[in-house]
Amino acid sequence: MSGPAGSAGPLAEPWIDVDYRVRFDEAGSDGRIHASVLLAWAQDAAWVHSTSLGFDRAWYARHGLTWLVRGAEVVVVDAPSYGDGVVVRTEIVGYRRVLARRLTTCRSPGDETLARIVTDWALVDERGRPVRIPEDFGRLVCVPSFDPIDVPSRGEDEPIGNVALAVRARDVDPLGHANNAAYIDYVDEALHRAGVHDVGRASRTYRLIYRRPALGGTTLSVAVFRQREGALLALRDEAGAEIARASLTDD
């Protein structure tokens, strides 16, 4: 694991590298990594980086703050396989009033790009309300603003399928709700059941926006729409409230 050389003053492009290896349980029947694992790595590396900058979980607990992913884009270029080593680099590439954007790149030991993940993180207080990013963060890096990740609200036509999926106990993270990475598994499962996409292909792009948390044991209703470029999915809870929206496109 490595990062930028430490010195006084703002860091122009703070980043850190974290080494991972594709485990047996992280690969599918074709031997390639599940795309959800790539997003999980991006989240984990972000916390490793934050800690290296002096903002560990104890710091957030003292200030009553935490980061939640509000949007994610996962571009699978060439999915690694079981046993492969992967170098995951994460860096801050943008700030808004209550959002921070990270770019995470997954590379082979030979420096070939395997995946790119963009995550828009919202800083929230103990009640889950967005709060302005403290000046402490602004002094670390001077980066431009950005347009948040978005997904269309619905497909071009009526849904071609509605799939019911349960939020499993193993999907629930320490915050008490389904982890953001689990939603990629929901996308893959819903598309598989609807017979829309070959989710095992190597090159593809997922986009997701998260509206509200889903608790363990919740049954999600996933509407699947065809799109010219791929598929669009709308995920709702048992009361009909929108939980998330997602798209999967071919590259």
Side-chain angles (χ1 to χ4, degrees), residues 101-244:
R101 169 165 288 181
R102 281 185 174 273
L103 171 64
T104 303
T105 305
C106 299
R107 296 172 288 120
S108 70
D111 207 34
E112 297 174 343
T113 298
L114 305 174
R116 294 185 300 274
I117 303 102
V118 176
T119 45
D120 292 343
W121 295 77
L123 188 65
V124 300
D125 63 16
E126 292 170 311
R127 296 185 180 181
R129 299 174 301 188
V131 297
R132 195 178 194 90
I133 296 174
E135 290 298 320
D136 300 36
F137 295 96
R139 286 195 293 270
L140 285 172
V141 58
C142 297
V143 289
S145 185
F146 58 91
D147 294 324
I149 293 166
D150 196 15
V151 175
S153 59
R154 58 161 293 150
E156 299 168 352
D157 301 303
E158 292 301 309
I160 63 165
N162 283 280
V163 177
L165 296 175
V167 177
R168 303 164 302 177
R170 65 170 295 177
D171 298 335
V172 178
D173 63 21
L175 294 177
H177 50 70
N179 186 265
N180 300 287
Y183 286 80
I184 293 186
D185 289 332
Y186 302 154
V187 168
D188 285 346
E189 178 68 19
L191 292 176
H192 176 74
R193 291 197 199 175
V196 176
H197 266 272
D198 172 15
V199 297
R201 65 195 180 284
S203 180
R204 58 203 187 275
T205 297
Y206 299 83
R207 291 185 181 86
L208 304 100
I209 56 172
Y210 305 94
R211 294 302 193 192
R212 64 187 69 201
L215 304 178
T218 299
T219 297
L220 300 179
S221 174
V222 186
V224 181
F225 302 86
R226 287 191 187 277
Q227 293 285 279
R228 187 175 300 110
E229 307 84 2
L232 179 72
L233 302 92
L235 294 83
R236 297 183 178 277
D237 65 14
E238 294 148 335
E242 184 178 69
I243 296 293

